[in-house]
Amino acid sequence: MDRKSERIEGLDLAGSPRTPRETSSRQAWLLWGLGAVFVLILAVFFYPRSTVIADETCYLSAARYLLNGKAFDRFSEAWFYKNVGFYQRTFFSASPTFSALLIPFVAMGWRSAFVLGVLSHILGFGGLIYVFRRRGLPIGWAVLYLLHPTAVLYSHTVMADVPSSALVVLILCILHRDRPNHFAAGLVMGLLLLVKLSNFPLIAAFGLLFFLSDVVRKRSSPDSRKLRLRWVHLGLGMLPGVILFLIVNVVLFNSPLGNGYVGRDSGYFRWHYFLEHFPFYLVALMAMYPLMLISPVFLSGKYRWEMRLSCLAGIVFFAFYFYVDKGDVWYASLVLGLRFHLIFIPFYVIGYAQMLTRLARAVKRVVLVRLALVGATVILAGADVVMCALYAKETGRAWERQERLHEALSTGATVLAPLYASKYLNAAARPDLRIVRVITYRDFVYVADEVTPPAWLLVPRPNPESAVLRNQLIEMVRGVFELEASPRRVDGLEVWRLTRKRVTPEGATSRSGLSLPSVGRLTREGLPVRAVTAGDLREPDRRRCRLSHVGQYDRAFPGL
């Protein structure tokens, strides 16, 4: 292929053509080094003391089971089916692949897991500098990725979002080489799907446009046939990851298309979510960096349509999803709410750089645009410092609360906690605790058969919004267990001691009139409850069984 056809041209701030080689390698390494030092300083001075997100505990707990080998013993606590009902999930409610990436860090202590996010962010920044050089763009604009508040905040958590964003940058790096390795890019896409299922919109949109651009390409050059085969190489690279993804779903979630997030009939994708979340994403993307929402329109060069469709797919897909991270104030919601969009931020930043580069050429205000970038860098760096300081303070308060909470619990205790309350326990710091998470009240009917007193119930103290839910949960628990007269109170949490079980092994009826049959009896009566293995059916007392479909749960427990 002609070298000129491979050149990815861009414009510098002055508007003159620039080839990738004109950007000094020394300048690129210097910028990456300064950015890495800044991120490391934030990590050293504001290192989190504890986890504060429920999914962080899930990732760390799964990593610990993988490290100890218990994750492969289906009769171990790792396989205890903690959540049923709307959530078709086992212990590995989050991605087991991301938990596997945490193993080297967890082996050194659970607090070391925070290092993965920091390292991923640094490597992602370096990769984006390389992409900017290959596209002929001024590398200084890559700072907007490094200092993006959402990326900086979640780099201080044990979450898969920042590592996923770094993998997207790695894909771009592979595709922007002089000789792109499409098979290697496909391998990384397969890993991206394994690391986090919500990365699917980017993979689907990018892969679809990649396929269409090759299939409809006209035979304009002798190499056109070779170019049209790029999607084949990309697909073959993705195949191992997709196959492993399906195998994991079959093993953990009973179905190739099962997952650890929501069931097929969960109702977690609805039109009324779209009407609320779509405007939020538009405003957040437009306001975080002024006019960044429209920046994909200004993308030019290779893979511009793939990146454009990916950004659009991300907005539409997550607008239908029920969950958006929100804070107590509007600017906190602005930062937290873009978590799902971190995988698209590299595309937005590239488009943003090209958009402002064109603007500088059009208005002939090169110095003004450069000063705006410098000013934005200073402001963002200062905002990131303040944000990380506040977050470190919040994790410190969470750690102190967890310490007081752990003092109230006996060693090796079984703790029954709703999902929104289980994050206060920090199971990584107390691996001796047996934490049974309950997401819906239907879950409780199942897990009650697995909990033997003495045990503990953890619920947040009621407020006007949660009082009804809290009272319903307490009433549900009282129908099965005898509780102490009054709970212990620890920083806004109620710790109830479960002293004795009211129901017999064959089931009973609670004071609320709810039928509470045991899982063992359901298995013997042939009701639609499917065990993990054939051995479970022969040994129903182990009660390690799962429901193969949400509707089967409704038929098994008609009283709910």
Side-chain angles (χ1 to χ4, degrees):
M1 182 181 294
D2 187 6
R3 296 290 297 177
K4 291 185 179 180
S5 64
E6 290 186 345
R7 179 179 296 174
I8 307 169
E9 294 186 349
L11 296 172
D12 64 8
L13 291 175
S16 59
R18 174 183 296 222
T19 63
R21 305 303 181 188
E22 292 180 18
T23 300
S24 170
S25 176
R26 181 179 300 178
Q27 293 176 350
W29 281 103
L30 177 61
L31 179 63
W32 181 71
L34 292 176
V37 169
F38 177 76
V39 172
L40 289 174
I41 289 175
L42 290 180
V44 170
F45 284 93
F46 306 114
Y47 199 80
R49 295 184 61 189
S50 176
T51 60
V52 296
I53 304 174
D55 284 352
E56 291 181 287
T57 299
C58 294
Y59 285 130
L60 289 172
S61 299
R64 178 167 54 85
Y65 278 113
L66 288 169
L67 177 64
N68 297 334
K70 294 182 179 180
F72 306 101
D73 176 8
R74 295 190 178 211
F75 295 133
S76 72
E77 181 65 16
W79 277 88
F80 178 69
Y81 197 65
K82 293 179 172 60
N83 300 307
V84 292
F86 290 119
Y87 278 61
Q88 288 283 66
R89 57 202 290 174
T90 61
F91 176 82
F92 296 97
S93 55
S95 167
T97 307
F98 180 68
S99 295
L101 296 178
L102 293 172
I103 289 178
F105 303 95
V106 174
M108 296 183 291
W110 69 269
R111 281 195 175 92
S112 301
F114 293 105
V115 175
L116 178 59
V118 175
L119 292 180
S120 298
H121 193 45
I122 293 175
L123 294 175
F125 174 56
L128 196 61
I129 291 176
Y130 173 82
V131 174
F132 270 59
R133 292 187 65 203
R134 301 300 302 171
R135 297 183 74 91
L137 291 169
I139 60 175
W141 292 106
V143 174
L144 296 180
Y145 173 82
L146 176 75
L147 302 180
H148 195 284
T150 306
V152 172
L153 176 64
Y154 282 98
S155 68
H156 286 216
T157 65
V158 188
M159 300 288 284
D161 303 280
V162 172
S164 296
S165 182
L167 288 176
V168 172
V169 174
L170 177 59
I171 294 172
L172 292 177
C173 291
I174 296 173
L175 294 177
H176 280 82
R177 297 174 59 199
D178 287 335
R179 294 183 178 181
N181 189 330
H182 301 103
F183 181 80
L187 287 175
V188 180
M189 283 190 178
L191 177 61
L192 188 65
L193 180 64
L194 283 168
V195 167
K196 192 176 183 184
L197 179 61
S198 60
N199 295 331
F200 170 78
L202 183 146
I203 299 170
F206 200 97
L208 176 63
L209 260 294
F210 203 89
F211 166 76
L212 293 178
S213 65
D214 284 355
V215 171
V216 304
R217 189 184 298 272
K218 296 181 180 180
R219 299 176 180 270
S220 58
S221 69
D223 295 322
S224 61
R225 179 175 297 180
K226 180 179 179 180
L227 289 174
R228 287 199 302 272
L229 293 178
R230 298 182 308 168
W231 69 271
V232 177
H233 299 156
L234 188 76
L236 290 175
M238 292 178 59
L239 194 59
V242 173
I243 293 176
L244 185 58
F245 171 76
L246 298 177
I247 293 175
V248 169
N249 287 344
V250 170
V251 173
L252 298 181
F253 309 116
N254 293 337
S255 169
L257 300 180
N259 60 80
Y261 293 90
V262 296
R264 289 173 292 177
D265 302 327
S266 63
Y268 278 28
F269 288 88
R270 286 291 184 266
W271 274 105
H272 67 271
Y273 297 137
F274 179 86
L275 298 177
E276 176 185 356
H277 298 161
F278 185 71
F280 170 80
Y281 285 133
L282 296 183
V283 172
L285 289 168
M286 185 68 79
M288 178 64 73
Y289 290 159
L291 303 179
M292 177 171 275
L293 174 66
I294 64 175
S295 63
V297 177
F298 295 89
L299 283 165
S300 61
K302 297 174 68 174
Y303 313 113
R304 60 186 181 276
W305 284 107
E306 287 86 347
M307 291 189 284
R308 288 171 181 169
L309 183 62
S310 297
C311 294
L312 178 61
I315 294 176
V316 175
F317 181 85
F318 291 114
F320 280 103
Y321 192 53
F322 84 105
Y323 184 72
V324 175
D325 280 339
K326 293 291 183 68
D328 297 330
V329 292
W330 66 269
Y331 49 85
S333 297
L334 195 67
V335 174
L336 297 171
L338 291 178
R339 175 167 71 92
F340 290 139
H341 290 265
L342 279 178
I343 55 175
F344 308 104
I345 293 301
F347 302 159
Y348 281 107
V349 172
I350 294 173
Y352 202 63
Q354 292 184 327
M355 179 181 72
L356 295 183
T357 295
R358 293 185 182 183
L359 177 64
R361 180 182 59 174
V363 301
K364 298 180 180 180
R365 294 291 187 272
V366 178
V367 176
L368 181 62
V369 175
R370 288 177 176 173
L371 290 176
L373 177 59
V374 173
T377 300
V378 174
I379 294 174
L380 286 171
D384 289 339
V385 170
V386 174
M387 180 183 64
C388 290
L390 293 175
Y391 185 73
K393 187 177 181 179
E394 174 64 24
T395 61
R397 288 196 295 264
W399 174 252
E400 294 172 357
R401 178 177 57 238
Q402 291 163 6
E403 286 287 283
R404 289 190 289 269
L405 186 59
H406 292 164
E407 292 176 359
L409 301 173
S410 58
T411 303
T414 297
V415 183
L416 181 64
L419 180 66
Y420 53 84
S422 62
K423 65 181 181 180
Y424 299 118
L425 287 168
N426 190 2
R430 283 290 301 272
D432 61 292
L433 296 177
R434 183 193 185 203
I435 301 175
V436 181
R437 299 175 180 88
V438 179
I439 295 179
T440 69
Y441 296 116
R442 297 178 177 182
D443 299 343
F444 176 73
V445 179
Y446 177 85
V447 300
D449 199 60
E450 294 284 344
V451 174
T452 302
W456 303 87
L457 172 67
L458 176 66
V459 293
R461 293 170 64 179
N463 56 47
E465 296 181 357
S466 64
V468 175
L469 295 176
R470 176 262 185 191
N471 293 337
Q472 290 177 352
L473 179 60
I474 294 296
E475 178 64 16
M476 178 75 77
V477 175
R478 287 188 185 277
V480 183
F481 299 98
E482 289 185 359
L483 276 65
E484 286 185 339
S486 60
R488 303 180 187 180
R489 289 178 170 82
V490 180
D491 292 357
L493 299 171
E494 294 181 353
V495 183
W496 296 79
R497 181 176 175 82
L498 312 181
T499 58
R500 190 171 65 88
K501 183 178 290 188
R502 296 179 185 274
V503 297
T504 65
E506 289 300 321
T509 301
S510 71
R511 293 186 300 173
S512 301
L514 299 176
S515 178
L516 301 174
S518 69
V519 175
R521 180 164 62 84
L522 289 175
T523 304
R524 290 192 294 272
E525 292 178 0
L527 289 174
V529 179
R530 186 157 65 89
V532 175
T533 65
D536 287 334
L537 291 174
R538 291 191 298 269
E539 301 178 72
D541 289 339
R542 289 186 180 272
R543 298 170 184 176
R544 299 293 192 264
C545 38
R546 298 184 290 175
L547 303 178
S548 58
H549 191 271
V550 174
Q552 295 181 359
Y553 194 95
D554 297 329
R555 294 191 295 272
F557 300 107
L560 292 179

